Amino acid sequence: MEKLEHIGIAVKNLGQANALFERLLGKAHYKIEEVASEGVRTSFFEVNGVKIELLEASSSNSPIAKFIDKRGEGIHHLAFEVADIKQSIEHYKQQGFELINAEAKKGADNKMICFLHPKSTGGVLIELCQELPK
Ligand code: ZN
């Protein structure tokens, strides 16, 4: 893994959470993006190279809606940048980690992403992400 790329936080209301995090971080979010395939609306903040991704469910069967039902609002995942996501998927598979999606897929913020199941990572959902060329 190259570095901690972002921290994902599940929120009930993106508008309210944006206002809260703007006050908390002392800066505005730099983008809002909907990822329909994941059932989420996201908003991104950046603090000295590390991003905060706020995630709001865009449908009732969204993984974020399920997460909030079960655990409430709060930290949802840690995302680490990798140089080559295909290679990383193979590596973590061989290391015995359970993947949520076996193939990398398109995520928010111009990235290919893959998740490791929290069952195999000490209860923390881990996202691997590789930035796509712009
Ligand atoms: Zn993420």
Side-chain angles (χ1 to χ4, degrees):
M1 294 184 183
E2 307 289 319
K3 65 162 192 178
L4 179 64
E5 213 279 336
H6 65 266
I7 299 170
I9 298 176
V11 304
K12 284 184 184 162
N13 180 301
L14 199 59
Q16 282 174 12
N18 272 337
L20 173 66
F21 277 82
E22 276 177 27
R23 265 197 303 135
L24 184 64
L25 303 173
K27 53 171 73 176
H29 62 279
Y30 68 89
K31 92 152 84 166
I32 288 188
E33 186 179 346
E34 178 149 5
V35 185
S37 59
E38 293 290 300
V40 294
R41 256 188 303 275
T42 64
S43 145
F44 285 88
F45 292 80
E46 196 252 300
V47 182
N48 202 18
V50 178
K51 297 167 187 165
I52 303 286
E53 174 185 37
L54 303 181
L55 302 137
E56 176 196 59
S58 60
S59 71
S60 57
N61 60 357
S62 157
I64 295 302
K66 287 176 195 151
F67 178 88
I68 289 176
D69 277 351
K70 241 201 295 193
R71 306 187 39 185
E73 291 182 293
I75 293 182
H76 177 259
H77 65 270
L78 300 182
F80 291 91
E81 190 173 296
V82 297
D84 181 331
I85 196 157
K86 274 190 185 155
Q87 219 172 61
S88 293
I89 287 173
E90 278 317 305
H91 170 78
Y92 287 107
K93 230 192 270 182
Q94 274 168 22
Q95 293 289 313
F97 290 97
E98 191 182 323
L99 298 153
I100 292 181
N101 47 306
E103 300 271 324
K105 60 185 176 178
K106 184 91 170 64
D109 206 26
N110 195 44
K111 294 197 167 40
M112 291 305 286
I113 62 168
C114 174
F115 287 99
L116 303 181
H117 200 289
K119 266 196 299 203
S120 64
T121 53
V124 182
L125 178 62
I126 302 289
E127 174 185 339
L128 307 173
C129 59
Q130 181 189 347
E131 179 115 31
L132 289 167
K134 283 185 180 141

